Amino acid sequence: MRGHPLSGVTVVSLEQAVAAPYATRQLADLGARVIKVERPGEGDFARRYDTTVHGHSSYFVWINRSKESLTLNLKDPRGLEILHRLLDDADVLVQNLAPGATDRLGLGTEELTRRYPRLIPCTISGYGTTGPWADRKAYDMLVQCQTGLVSLTGTPEGTARTGISVADIAAGMYAYSGILTALYTRATTGTAHPVEVSLFEALAEWMGQPAYYTRYGGSQPPRLGTQHATIAPYGTYPAADGREVLFSIQNEREWAALCTEFLGRPDLTDDPRFATSSARVAHRAELNGIIAERFARSDSEELLKDLEAIGIACAGVNDIAAFLDHPVLAARGRWGEVALPGGTKVEALLPPADLAGLSPRMDPVPAVGEHTEAILSALGHSPAAIEALRADAVI
């Protein structure tokens, strides 16, 4: 790990599912030592979400590379004592266990900061650790519903969830940035600040624009499928060959170019129905009819070429297979490799933030408890003591 920015930082994580593992994987990408504490035998339940990646879960493979897996039964005093031995030298503890679980184990933030003044505890919860919903479990889809995201997603005929675990990812990103900030603050001031993130509040931040639009506009943005709710034209339209093409108009210069050079209708540039962004949104149906007529005369490749020629942002609508073969990913060398338990290697996208002169860490995805013996040996446990712990299901 020499040369990685977080080399020397130790993170212990009581993690499961997506949000906390997503945060800690990014710390591991930067060189932190991440010790993932899992249940003996079964491990993180996300290991069993699916079996599509050579028998392993696509979720787990995505967010658990470069970690060490330690199995511990924290309800057994011996397992809890091992955890405390690790915390003696750890820099960060991340946890997203069920509400109240860490408090029952004596691992609440107040107790941790008292016992370990240099430790940065990071708690990821559903709705916060205080307030009327502090005791509620929260999963990604529940939070998408509670923040109103689902009400914005879909078509006029019905709502839809987003296709990825956006609440988990949002919480993981804020936990990651909060931990980095806390590490920096500790380094510069000597004070370790606990970090708390909830899925609800993380996604609430991402709902800022529709929240303002609704509160001060009197109604929420409509569901329009692939059409943008508050900008027009901005969305997909079918070409003559049946393929959908997306394009976006962001300003009046682009609108004038679209009218004159693409639609062949310079008269529309100053037409009161379409002269401003708000007017185009108000007259979306009429505008869409004009655009659809133009799209019906050309196939998708011709449309993309014509739009690009006049400086209009545009793209075809890819499926996942097309995304995986995207020329940008190939040309920019964005694919690396990681090994799975057993040694099979799979492709993995590099972390999106490039640090000049440094390569990201891309170490294997761990098997359940793969590093338990090595970690316990380093803590001074003999082989016989380790076997005794295993026989009693402590590890």
Side-chain angles (χ1 to χ4, degrees):
M1 294 193 295
R2 184 181 301 278
H4 289 104
L6 295 186
S7 179
V9 171
T10 297
V11 179
V12 176
S13 192
L14 310 179
E15 61 181 31
Q16 55 194 357
V18 176
Y22 186 59
T24 59
R25 194 219 73 190
Q26 294 178 90
L27 297 169
D29 288 344
L30 293 175
R33 182 190 186 194
V34 175
I35 300 174
K36 179 184 181 76
V37 179
E38 302 191 68
R39 299 175 185 85
E42 60 184 13
D44 183 344
F45 55 74
R47 288 181 179 271
R48 297 177 299 284
Y49 278 166
D50 60 72
T51 56
T52 58
V53 186
H54 299 293
H56 299 278
S57 162
S58 55
Y59 277 91
F60 195 86
V61 170
W62 165 44
I63 53 179
N64 285 286
R65 66 180 180 234
S66 303
K67 300 179 184 180
E68 299 173 40
S69 174
L70 165 68
T71 51
L72 284 180
N73 177 4
L74 296 179
K75 294 180 180 180
D76 188 299
R78 291 168 291 176
L80 195 57
E81 176 57 29
I82 291 168
L83 178 67
H84 281 293
R85 291 277 304 280
L86 291 172
L87 295 181
D88 284 335
D89 296 315
D91 298 284
V92 180
L93 172 68
V94 180
Q95 70 89 9
N96 69 332
L97 302 184
T102 51
D103 288 325
R104 291 190 293 272
L105 292 168
L107 298 170
T109 297
E110 186 175 336
E111 174 63 19
L112 288 171
T113 54
R114 183 194 64 78
R115 185 166 178 173
Y116 307 105
R118 293 190 70 258
L119 183 71
I120 297 167
C122 175
T123 299
I124 302 175
S125 64
Y127 298 101
T129 56
T130 61
W133 284 28
D135 294 332
R136 291 199 184 196
K137 288 185 177 181
Y139 300 117
D140 182 85
M141 183 63 172
L142 299 175
V143 175
Q144 287 192 38
C145 289
Q146 286 297 304
T147 56
L149 178 59
V150 167
S151 76
L152 297 176
T153 308
T155 66
E157 292 72 37
T159 59
R161 70 176 288 273
T162 61
I164 59 174
S165 301
V166 64
D168 286 319
I169 294 169
M173 286 299 301
Y174 286 117
Y176 168 58
S177 62
I179 290 166
L180 291 179
T181 303
L183 286 169
Y184 174 80
T185 303
R186 191 188 68 176
T188 55
T189 69
T191 301
H193 293 279
V195 176
E196 180 178 342
V197 177
S198 78
L199 273 69
F200 180 78
E201 288 159 2
L203 195 56
E205 166 63 20
W206 288 17
M207 290 292 291
Q209 181 273 323
Y212 276 115
Y213 186 97
T214 302
R215 173 157 289 181
Y216 298 102
S219 62
Q220 73 175 46
R223 292 190 306 274
L224 296 170
T226 58
Q227 298 277 307
H228 195 290
T230 59
I231 303 173
Y234 189 165
T236 62
Y237 300 86
D241 58 7
R243 185 185 180 198
E244 288 194 326
V245 172
L246 179 140
F247 77 97
S248 169
I249 296 298
Q250 295 285 312
N251 53 57
E252 305 318 316
R253 178 189 57 78
E254 292 181 353
W255 169 244
L258 185 79
C259 292
T260 302
E261 302 180 53
F262 181 75
L263 296 176
R265 294 284 306 276
D267 58 297
L268 296 178
T269 302
D270 299 316
D271 187 312
R273 297 172 298 169
F274 311 127
T276 67
S277 179
S278 295
R280 292 192 290 273
V281 170
H283 296 89
R284 185 192 302 273
E286 298 167 80
L287 178 57
N288 282 348
I290 295 169
I291 294 170
E293 189 279 329
R294 169 65 181 86
F295 267 54
R297 300 201 306 264
S298 304
D299 66 27
S300 55
E301 292 303 321
E302 291 173 321
L303 291 169
L304 289 167
K305 181 178 179 181
D306 291 344
L307 289 166
E308 289 173 0
I310 60 173
I312 303 298
C314 59
V317 179
N318 285 343
D319 58 16
I320 302 302
F323 154 69
L324 293 172
D325 291 332
H326 203 288
V328 171
L329 295 178
R332 286 179 48 78
R334 301 311 301 175
W335 290 105
E337 281 188 336
V338 296
L340 304 179
T344 301
K345 292 187 177 181
V346 295
E347 291 183 302
L349 285 169
L350 303 181
D354 290 329
L355 279 67
L358 298 174
S359 297
R361 182 180 173 203
M362 302 284 282
D363 288 351
V365 176
V368 178
E370 178 179 344
H371 302 89
T372 299
E373 291 188 19
I375 292 170
L376 294 182
S377 294
L379 291 176
H381 289 72
S382 68
I386 293 172
E387 285 307 309
L389 291 171
R390 193 181 308 282
D392 290 342
V394 177
I395 60 173

